[in-house]
Amino acid sequence: MLKDWSDVYRIGIEEIDRQHQDFFMASHRLYQTILDGQGQQGVSESIEFLRGYAENHFSAEEGLMRAHAYPDLSDHVRQHVSFMRRLGKLEHDLRTFGPSRDLAERALELTQDWLIEHIADEDVLYALHVKSVTPDAAQPGSAASS
Ligand SMILES: [Fe+2]
């Protein structure tokens, strides 16, 4: 089910919150592209866009955690790696079986629902850590510069 972005998903680090919101939109675009029957090309472009976005976003998060010596970095990185692996599997299935409602729902579950859960279960934890070490981390621009 498509969900609206909500401020409850914010972790209080402005740059990361903006990225999460864009990730959410890329997820919806992928879902819509699969449903719209825009063919293999459109689906591949959407999934490539999401993959690139996820890679950049994950590396921004990992850089932030590293810069603040987050103790659970390796567990968190494992979650990112597992997401990329599942995205690869979805892409493979879309190529093999072609777009369908089932695969659209799976794409939404993997991207939108995963992100919501990942934010609530994992990202909030590193955000708390970052903010406890660097109280001004929530300020615009500080995520990249710290
Ligand atoms: Fe994360």
Side-chain angles (χ1 to χ4, degrees):
M1 189 181 61
L2 278 175
K3 294 178 180 141
D4 290 328
W5 173 262
S6 157
D7 279 349
V8 283
Y9 305 143
R10 294 170 62 87
I11 62 171
I13 300 175
E14 198 164 316
E15 195 169 327
I16 299 294
D17 286 330
R18 205 166 34 235
Q19 291 179 7
H20 281 156
Q21 202 164 351
D22 287 345
F23 192 123
F24 210 76
M25 276 157 47
S27 157
H28 288 187
R29 200 152 48 228
L30 172 64
Y31 175 72
Q32 215 54 62
T33 311
I34 300 173
L35 279 187
D36 285 353
Q38 291 179 26
Q40 201 63 55
Q41 170 101 14
V43 172
S44 291
E45 281 169 14
S46 263
I47 212 161
E48 279 319 312
F49 178 82
L50 196 128
R51 178 201 301 285
Y53 200 87
E55 272 167 2
N56 288 334
H57 167 61
F58 291 163
S59 86
E61 281 193 340
E62 289 163 19
L64 188 61
M65 288 185 257
R66 216 165 271 126
H68 293 83
Y70 180 56
D72 291 323
L73 171 69
S74 61
D75 279 348
H76 199 123
V77 170
R78 247 196 301 281
Q79 304 247 352
H80 290 169
V81 170
S82 151
F83 173 88
M84 295 310 287
R85 198 167 31 233
R86 288 164 66 201
L87 189 68
K89 173 91 172 73
L90 174 75
E91 186 171 21
H92 170 268
D93 289 353
L94 279 162
R95 283 222 178 93
T96 309
F97 305 111
S100 66
R101 174 161 274 280
D102 272 3
L103 284 175
E105 296 301 336
R106 203 174 111 198
L108 197 62
E109 215 180 287
L110 171 63
T111 56
Q112 173 198 265
D113 297 346
W114 178 87
L115 182 65
I116 291 171
E117 258 181 57
H118 180 76
I119 291 172
D121 295 345
E122 307 293 335
D123 291 345
V124 289
L125 298 178
Y126 85 69
L128 277 175
H129 173 81
V130 166
K131 285 184 276 187
S132 73
V133 182
T134 317
D136 66 348
Q139 297 306 313
S142 60
S145 57
S146 44

